[in-house]
C-alpha cells in the first residue's frame, strides 16, 4: 500500500513558527552563502556568559551532577531566587512558589497551560512579544490585543481597556520593559490594571525578563508594588537568559501563588520533567553570585541605544520612541509604505523587512510579528560599528524607494 500523508492536529494550524527565529535563520543562511549581513534581528545579548557561571557548570559535570532533579528545579536554586526577590524588591516568597523551567518561554507556556482554556480571553497589550498569542491559543484560549499608542510612548491608556474587556477576560500579560518597544508601563497604568485585576479576579502575568536592563535612574514600577493583595493573583516570569547572557542554557523561572505553581509543576512533570541539572547549577551561580554583570551590560547598551535612536530619528519620515529598557528599538516606517523599488510596492512591515534584507543586507524583524505593522524592530545588542554601518545602509535603502 502507498504511504499516507498523516494529518496534523487542528491546534498546529492556528499558529505559525516564531517569526523572529525565522528571520534569524534566513539572515544566517544568506550570511553562510557569502552575503555581508548586518544582523539587527537577534533577541539576545552579544556578550558571553560570565566565567563564574560557566565554571559552576563545569563543576556540576565534574562532580557528576547529571541526574534528574526535582520537577520544579533544585531547592538551592529556588531558595536563591526567593532570596534575590527579597533582596532586590522586598517581596517574600517560599521555594514552593517557584518553578524553574527550560527557559522563560517554557515558563510562560506552562503558565498558559495551567491557567487558560477554551472560552477564556487574555488581554495582550500590542505591540506584544511574538510568543504570547500563540501560547494562549495553544491553551485553547483567545488572545485579545489591546493597542498601545506610539504617541504615549507605548504606555497603556487604561481608559481604553473597557473596549477589550469582557465577561470572559481571565487575565492580562504585562511586559515592562517590553520586547519589542523597550517601553515601560507607568505606575499610574499599573495601578489601573491592578485595580481592575482585583475587582474582576484576573490573573496578572508579569514578564520581567528585561528588568535588569532599565536606563535612567527612575525605579521600574511593578504591579506587585501597586497593592499587596495582587500577590495572590500575579505570576512573575523571569530568568537568566537576558540578564546573564544565558539564552542557550535554557533556564527561566516563574514565581507566584502556590496552587498555580503546583499546577505548572504537574504539567512540567508530564512534559520535560526538569530543566537540565547542569544549567540549573550555572543559573544558581548567576542568581546567587555578584550582580555586576547585568549592570555592566546595561552600561554597554546605553550609548548604543542613544546612537541608534539618534540615527533613526534623523531619517526623514521615521519616528522612534526612546526605549527606557531592554535592547530593542521600534521605529515607525509607515511614511515609506506605498513606495516601491524596481516595481515592487513596500506595502507593510514584512515587505519592508524583506527589502532591507535583500537590498541592504540588514536583518530586522517586521512589526507585523508583534501586532504592529507600522514598525520594524532593530536589536541594538550589537557593536557600535555595526550600528553605524547599519544606519548608513538604512538611510540609503530608504532613500532608494520612490
Ligand atoms: C527572551 C524573552 C523571554 C524568555 O526567553 P528564554 O530564552 O526562553 O528564557 C521571555 N519574554 C520575552 C519578552 C523575551 O524577550
Amino acid at each position: 500500500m502507498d504511504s499516507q500523508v498523516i494529518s496534523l492536529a487542528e491546534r498546529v494550524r492556528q499558529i505559525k513558527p516564531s517569526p523572529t527565529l525565522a528571520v534569524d535563520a534566513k539572515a544566517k543562511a544568506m550570511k553562510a552563502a557569502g552575503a555581508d549581513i548586518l544582523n539587527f534581528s537577534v533577541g539576545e545579548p552579544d556578550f558571553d556568559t560570565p566565567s563564574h557561571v560557566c565554571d559552576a557548570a563545569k563543576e556540576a559535570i565534574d562532580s557528576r551532577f547529571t541526574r534528574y532533579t526535582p520537577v520544579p528545579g533544585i531547592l538551592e536554586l529556588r531558595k536563591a531566587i526567593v532570596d534575590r526577590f527579597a533582596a532586590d524588591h522586598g517581596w517574600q516568597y517560599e521555594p514552593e512558589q517557584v518553578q524553574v523551567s527550560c527557559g522563560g518561554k517554557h515558563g510562560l507556556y506552562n503558565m498558559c497551560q495551567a491557567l487558560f482554556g477554551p472560552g477564556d480571553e487574555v488581554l495582550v497589550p500590542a505591540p506584544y512579544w511574538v510568543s504570547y498569542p500563540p501560547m494562549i491559543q495553544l491553551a485553547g484560549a483567545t488572545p485579545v490585543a489591546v493597542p498601545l499608542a506610539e504617541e504615549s510612548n507605548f504606555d497603556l491608556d487604561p481608559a481604553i481597556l473597557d473596549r477589550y474587556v469582557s465577561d470572559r477576560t481571565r487575565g492580562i500579560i504585562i511586559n515592562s520593559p517590553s520586547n519589542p518597544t523597550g517601553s515601560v508601563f507607568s505606575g499610574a497604568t499599573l495601578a489601573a490594571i491592578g485595580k481592575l485585576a482585583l475587582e474582576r479576579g484576573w490573573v496578572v502575568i508579569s514578564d520581567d525578563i528585561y528588568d535588569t536592563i532599565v536606563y535612567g535612574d527612575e525605579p521600574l514600577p511593578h504591579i506587585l508594588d501597586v497593592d499587596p493583595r495582587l500577590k495572590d493573583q500575579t505570576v512573575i516570569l523571569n530568568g537568566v537568559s537576558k540578564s546573564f547572557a544565558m539564552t542557550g542554557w535554557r533556564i527561566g523561572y516563574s514565581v507566584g501563588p502556590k496552587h498555580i505553581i503546583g499546577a505548572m509543576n504537574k504539567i512540567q512533570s508530564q512534559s520535560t520533567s526538569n530543566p537540565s541539572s547542569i544549567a540549573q547549577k550555572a543559573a544558581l551561580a548567576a542568581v546567587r553570585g555578584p550582580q555586576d554583570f547585568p549592570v555592566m551590560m546595561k552600561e554597554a547598551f546605553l550609548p548604543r541605544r542613544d546612537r541608534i535612536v539618534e540615527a533613526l530619528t534623523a531619517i526623514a519620515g521615521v519616528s522612534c520612541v526612546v526605549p527606557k529598557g531592554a535592547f530593542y528599538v521600534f521605529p515607525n516606517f509607515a511614511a515609506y509604505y506605498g513606495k516601491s523599488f524596481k516595481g515592487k510596492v513596500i506595502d507593510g512591515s514584512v515587505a519592508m523587512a524583506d527589502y532591507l534584507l535583500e537590498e541592504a543586507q540588514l536583518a530586522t524583524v517586521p512589526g507585523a510579528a508583534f501586532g504592529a505593522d507600522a514598525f520594524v524592530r532593530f536589536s541594538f545588542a550589537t557593536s557600535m560599528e555595526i550600528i553605524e554601518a547599519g544606519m548608513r545602509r538604512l538611510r540609503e535603502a530608504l532613500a532608494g524607494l520612490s
Side-chain angles (χ1 to χ4, degrees):
M1 233 180 105
D2 288 342
S3 65
Q4 304 283 307
V5 177
I6 302 295
S7 63
L8 300 173
E10 173 56 30
R11 78 178 69 84
V12 182
R13 243 169 298 189
Q14 296 180 0
I15 63 163
K16 295 191 197 101
S18 165
T20 43
L21 299 182
V23 176
D24 199 43
K26 186 170 176 187
K28 280 181 179 142
M30 284 175 70
K31 194 164 190 162
D36 172 26
I37 302 285
L38 298 181
N39 199 345
F40 291 90
S41 74
V42 268
E44 61 186 348
D46 59 327
F47 287 83
D48 288 331
T49 305
S51 302
H52 72 281
V53 172
C54 297
D55 290 344
K58 290 182 202 163
E59 165 59 23
I61 295 174
D62 289 342
S63 63
R64 300 297 182 266
F65 191 73
T66 52
R67 297 177 190 272
Y68 289 131
T69 75
V71 167
I74 53 176
L75 184 59
E76 264 182 300
L77 176 54
R78 284 180 289 137
K79 277 186 174 153
I81 291 162
V82 164
D83 291 345
R84 173 119 327 276
F85 271 39
D88 290 354
H89 307 280
W91 301 332
Q92 303 303 323
Y93 284 96
E94 304 290 324
E96 293 71 36
Q97 295 180 281
V98 180
Q99 178 189 71
V100 184
S101 53
C102 307
K105 196 183 251 185
H106 183 222
L108 287 163
Y109 184 83
N110 284 343
M111 252 175 241
C112 290
Q113 291 291 316
L115 289 165
F116 308 127
D120 293 342
E121 292 177 0
V122 185
L123 302 176
V124 184
Y128 44 70
W129 187 44
V130 285
S131 293
Y132 298 144
M135 282 195 209
I136 292 164
Q137 285 171 303
L138 284 170
T142 306
V144 176
V146 180
L148 306 175
E150 182 186 16
E151 301 74 49
S152 34
N153 296 327
F154 298 112
D155 195 3
L156 190 142
D157 174 6
I160 69 160
L161 267 178
D162 268 359
R163 278 181 246 160
Y164 302 91
V165 171
S166 82
D167 300 345
R168 295 170 164 243
T169 308
R170 288 280 330 279
I172 183 166
I173 303 186
I174 295 170
N175 179 215
S176 172
S178 146
N179 174 4
T181 65
S183 288
V184 160
F185 278 1
S186 63
T189 292
L190 293 174
I193 293 172
K195 185 165 175 278
L196 276 169
L198 286 169
E199 279 168 12
R200 305 191 176 226
W202 294 346
V203 63
V204 179
I205 294 177
S206 185
D207 179 347
D208 298 350
I209 203 88
Y210 294 103
D211 70 351
T212 57
I213 311 171
V214 179
Y215 309 108
D217 299 325
E218 280 173 47
L220 178 67
H222 197 280
I223 189 81
L224 284 191
D225 298 329
V226 166
D227 186 312
R229 289 175 298 165
L230 282 166
K231 205 173 153 212
D232 297 332
Q233 288 172 226
T234 301
V235 192
I236 294 176
L237 185 281
N238 213 318
V240 289
S241 294
K242 309 294 159 56
S243 53
F244 280 86
M246 290 177 69
T247 45
W249 297 78
R250 311 309 303 132
I251 296 288
Y253 44 85
S254 308
V255 182
K258 223 176 261 186
H259 74 288
I260 298 178
I261 298 297
M264 291 169 59
N265 288 340
K266 223 195 286 188
I267 290 160
Q268 182 150 292
S269 79
Q270 299 290 14
S271 51
T272 63
S273 294
N274 60 264
S276 153
S277 59
I278 295 154
Q280 288 188 64
K281 286 287 192 180
L284 176 62
V287 175
R288 204 165 56 184
Q291 300 297 302
D292 48 354
F293 184 82
V295 177
M296 179 280 291
M297 274 204 300
K298 175 176 81 171
E299 284 169 359
F301 290 145
L302 180 59
R304 303 174 188 181
R305 176 200 73 163
D306 292 346
R307 180 63 194 121
I308 200 166
V309 168
E310 180 189 38
L312 285 166
T313 45
I315 301 173
V318 175
S319 58
C320 157
V321 171
V322 182
K324 287 193 176 155
F327 41 70
Y328 309 102
V329 65
F330 207 49
N332 185 329
F333 288 148
Y336 288 86
Y337 296 173
K339 296 189 180 228
S340 48
F341 180 76
K342 289 185 185 162
K344 202 174 149 199
V345 180
I346 306 294
D347 59 359
S349 64
V350 173
M352 178 60 87
D354 265 341
Y355 169 68
L356 294 177
L357 184 57
E358 313 234 320
E359 299 301 327
Q361 285 76 51
L362 286 180
T364 60
V365 185
F370 308 97
D373 197 42
F375 309 86
V376 171
R377 191 191 77 175
F378 288 68
S379 161
F380 53 88
T382 188
S383 71
M384 202 61 115
E385 292 69 42
I386 289 180
I387 290 172
E388 291 296 349
M391 291 301 107
R392 259 195 311 275
R393 285 192 197 176
L394 176 68
R395 263 195 311 275
E396 285 162 20
L398 291 177
L401 293 171
S402 51

